[in-house]
Amino acid sequence: MSVMSAGTEVRPSRWRASLGRLAAGTALLTAVAMLPWLSGNDPALTVLRARSADQNPTPEQLAAVREQLGLDEGPFAHLAHWLGGLPRGEAGTSWVSGEAVLPQVTGAFAVSFTLMLGALVVTIAVAALVSARTVYLGSRRRLHRGRGVIGVAVLAALPKFLLASLLATVCGVWLGWFPSSGWAGPASMVLPALALGVPSGAMIGGLLDQSLPAAFNEPWARTWHAYGYAPGRVARHALRRALAGVLPQLLPTVVALVGGAVAVEKIFNIPGLGRLALDAAIAQDLPPLQTATLALILLGVVAGLLIQALRRALLGPALRDGALPALHAPAASRGRFTRWAAVACALALLALVTTGLLRDPLHVDTAARLLPPSAAHPLGTDALGRDLLARLGHGALRTVGVALVVTAVCVLAGLLLGMAAQVGAGLTEVVSTMPAVLAGLLTTAVTGPSAWGAALAVCLVGWTPYAAQAAALLEQERASGHMLASLSFGAGPGYLLRYHLLPAVLPPVLRNALLRLPTTVLVLASLGFLGLGEQPPTAEWGRLLSENQPYVELAPWTVLGPACALVLLSVLAVSGTDAAAVRSPASVRKSRRSSGRGAQAQGGVSAGRTERRSAARRSPAA
């Protein structure tokens, strides 16, 4: 097998990826078109109530609405009629307001896209700050200790809607620096962009910070340092190598903000696409919902193609020729502070949960509403006078258990679809921009509101970050020199999967999943808050945040407890797993053996390419 053929065989054919995009987009639009009929509710009744809030319409009124909207023809006839108008620039009229849909969706998309660009700037800035220490030390060959993960875990665990409320209250209302509501100009974009970009930047920066040591450990970096190359030049090339594996995370992390920033748009009263899609879905107003979904699908496909092109430009001809060196992080010692922080987080969580389990989470005392922390109520009380420590303790098992199950399912699905690159490439681009709220509405229409229905909705869209990461890492691993060496010695698919592909993919994907664990909790909570998931009075951490978010300014302690619990959980998960990976002797020995095999294979590939170039230069003379 030649190097060129090995590099081209693993690349998914373009027509199959395009077919995957078309199939995924068609399936999503069809599911959206069937939403009113799947819900079991009369679409005419829902639309009439959204129009006039009439709770008891007459049968004649309902029949008139059905005839006006053509509901008796069924979802597929309506979908075909809507698709037929798109080539003419017509997306129909709203069932509720009667206004043309296309201007509404275009204006909302422009607002959300501008907000996404602002959040992207904040994301890049925060990611640069998170990875700045590793870049500085690694370019000078002084990266001997493990990276700090506590700050990354804290920032990544910040609830976006809670951060938005704090920024709106402090910077908007108290200090008056920026507008706290509305969309009137560039100044209106600052606070919501910060609320969206800071947690996303911590996520991207944490993944980049984990990849950089392996790039600085490559043979070329050691050689350049020995020859006295400037640290800035070494840093640029290491960033170029590490960014290729992190770039696919921008698609589900940042681009999804266009349709998934519903809570932040509501807090700042921003007329974005997420709010438009949610309001249309709740009112079962199909024309604007379908048009907004189509806009999200097109955005995901275009962004996916751009990110893929940028990633392949960063890797250069080495990806095409199968000459990428394998990335193996050096063994680094973990500082005592990180280990003690993990132990402290575990003890603090255990103390909170144990103490809370001894109290009654459902006892209502209206005379003790919104009490501050005291000896009787260590974390204070909520708006109904219920003890927050009790609710925090009783909600721990359900919160962590459901989030872990959802994360495990998403990781497994992401790995399977990431390995099936020919099918998963287009599917990932389409699904990554689908709001979890819309998925929740679709699943709730079938299963009804429940905790596991919300979990299923998150599973439907939550696998995309892991699929994008797995596909990128697998493509790089298959184009490495030691992979080609194993193929030349007759290694079968099972051997390659066990000794090459899974060891290269599993550790970074698992670290990504742990970073996203608090986000999973919050997404489940947002679905419950909208009546699509866990129902009250069940105690659950995300629901505690959602229920008490309106009282942040009056009683900040109502959200401080569950927010701190999420931060403790994130720090414990990330630091504990990272420390175990760093201190594992087996992983160190395996990394050294893989590095040796990679260097030998890379040397053989380089020698083969040199021999072919020499033969090509001699051939004209012959």
Side-chain angles (χ1 to χ4, degrees), residues 202-214:
M203 189 87 61
I204 298 296
L207 296 175
L208 180 61
D209 192 63
Q210 293 166 359
S211 303
L212 279 170

Side-chain angles (χ1 to χ4, degrees), residues 139-488:
S139 62
R140 290 160 175 79
R141 305 297 298 174
R142 290 161 52 187
L143 193 63
H144 305 304
R145 301 188 67 84
R147 286 85 60 209
V149 296
I150 296 178
V152 173
V154 170
L155 291 177
L158 287 177
K160 293 179 181 178
F161 62 87
L162 179 59
L163 183 59
S165 298
L166 291 175
L167 290 174
T169 302
V170 176
C171 300
V173 178
W174 293 354
L175 301 177
W177 290 348
F178 301 100
S180 60
S181 179
W183 188 262
S188 303
M189 185 177 63
V190 175
L191 296 182
L194 287 173
L196 294 171
V198 170
S200 300
M203 189 87 61
I204 298 296
L207 296 175
L208 180 61
D209 192 63
Q210 293 166 359
S211 303
L212 279 170
F216 285 119
N217 194 47
E218 286 186 327
W220 66 264
R222 296 193 295 268
T223 303
W224 285 20
H225 179 75
Y227 273 91
Y229 278 39
R233 186 174 182 183
V234 177
R236 285 195 303 271
H237 283 78
L239 280 171
R240 180 176 179 178
R241 181 70 174 93
L243 275 174
V246 178
L247 268 180
Q249 295 300 298
L250 286 177
L251 180 63
T253 301
V254 179
V255 178
L257 297 177
V258 174
V262 180
V264 175
E265 289 179 354
K266 281 183 172 293
I267 291 172
F268 289 101
N269 194 24
I270 298 174
L273 194 62
R275 285 186 63 187
L276 176 65
L278 176 61
D279 294 340
I282 293 176
Q284 297 190 5
D285 192 0
L286 278 188
L289 178 59
Q290 289 173 325
T291 309
T293 304
L294 179 61
L296 292 174
I297 291 173
L298 295 177
L299 175 66
V301 171
V302 172
L305 292 174
L306 290 176
I307 290 175
Q308 185 181 24
L310 179 58
R311 177 176 160 273
R312 290 184 174 176
L314 288 174
L315 292 175
L319 179 65
R320 182 186 66 247
D321 296 343
L324 280 177
L327 289 178
H328 297 285
S333 62
R334 177 65 57 191
R336 288 186 178 181
F337 178 75
T338 302
R339 293 196 296 270
W340 282 111
V343 173
C345 289
L347 294 177
L349 278 176
L350 183 62
L352 284 173
V353 172
T354 304
T355 309
L357 288 174
L358 301 177
R359 298 167 175 261
D360 184 6
L362 301 179
H363 176 68
V364 176
D365 185 4
T366 55
R369 296 177 63 253
L370 301 177
L371 290 180
S374 61
H377 304 284
L379 295 182
T381 61
D382 63 6
L384 296 178
R386 295 174 296 190
D387 186 76
L388 286 173
L389 179 59
R391 296 183 64 75
L392 190 70
H394 283 266
L397 182 60
R398 179 181 294 271
T399 300
V400 178
V402 174
L404 287 175
V405 170
V406 170
T407 300
V409 172
C410 290
V411 169
L412 181 60
L415 287 174
L416 293 177
L417 289 171
M419 291 181 180
Q422 295 182 355
V423 178
L427 186 63
T428 303
E429 295 170 0
V430 171
V431 179
S432 62
T433 53
M434 181 181 179
V437 173
L438 180 56
L441 288 170
L442 292 173
T443 56
T444 303
V446 179
T447 65
S450 64
W452 294 111
L456 177 61
V458 178
C459 291
L460 288 177
V461 298
W463 56 267
T464 54
Y466 314 118
Q469 185 180 24
L473 294 174
L474 284 171
E475 186 179 22
Q476 295 181 43
E477 184 69 14
R478 286 167 176 155
S480 62
H482 69 272
M483 184 82 170
L484 296 178
S486 297
L487 287 172
S488 65

